[in-house]
Amino acid sequence: QVQLVESGGGLVQAGGSLRLSCAASGSIFRVNAMGWYRQAPGKQRELVAAITSGSTTSYADSVKGRFTISRDNAKNTVYLQMNSLKPEDTAVYYCYADVTNYSRSTSRSWGQGTQVTVSS
């Protein structure tokens, strides 16, 4: 069993910054890729950013140059630094981690979601 706990969401004015964190714990042999999705009201969930175990990153076009994903492998934690926030970034943000357990089975676990609201 793997648990992902998110923190760092909140309300911010346009142009401001927030930093999200997501820590994985439990039956973890290895954490592979990690990342963040978001879902705005009435919209489909979209991939925001992802990072491999080797720290190769990828971003949605809508956040390139504004968001930075990083990870601390010693802490099994992924971060999302969000700068120059826009009202259209308002959404619930979900982290994920592709975890290999001690049985060498790999599956994706999800965080509980954290609300990010950007006011204009």
Side-chain angles (χ1 to χ4, degrees), residues 25-102:
S25 62
S27 181
I28 298 173
F29 173 73
R30 182 179 62 243
V31 179
N32 305 297
M34 306 180 82
W36 296 88
Y37 278 76
R38 68 185 180 187
Q39 187 164 23
K43 294 189 176 182
Q44 288 189 329
R45 188 177 292 194
E46 64 169 343
L47 179 62
V48 176
I51 185 167
T52 68
S53 56
S55 294
T56 299
T57 60
S58 59
Y59 298 92
D61 288 342
S62 58
V63 306
K64 281 181 182 177
R66 301 188 297 122
F67 290 11
T68 301
I69 189 170
S70 61
R71 64 190 286 169
D72 184 334
N73 291 329
K75 296 181 180 180
N76 290 331
T77 298
V78 63
Y79 306 97
L80 186 67
Q81 177 66 43
M82 304 184 292
N83 299 329
S84 302
L85 282 161
K86 304 175 181 180
E88 50 264 43
D89 295 317
T90 295
V92 178
Y93 285 70
Y94 299 91
C95 67
Y96 73 87
D98 294 333
V99 176
T100 300
N101 62 23
Y102 292 107

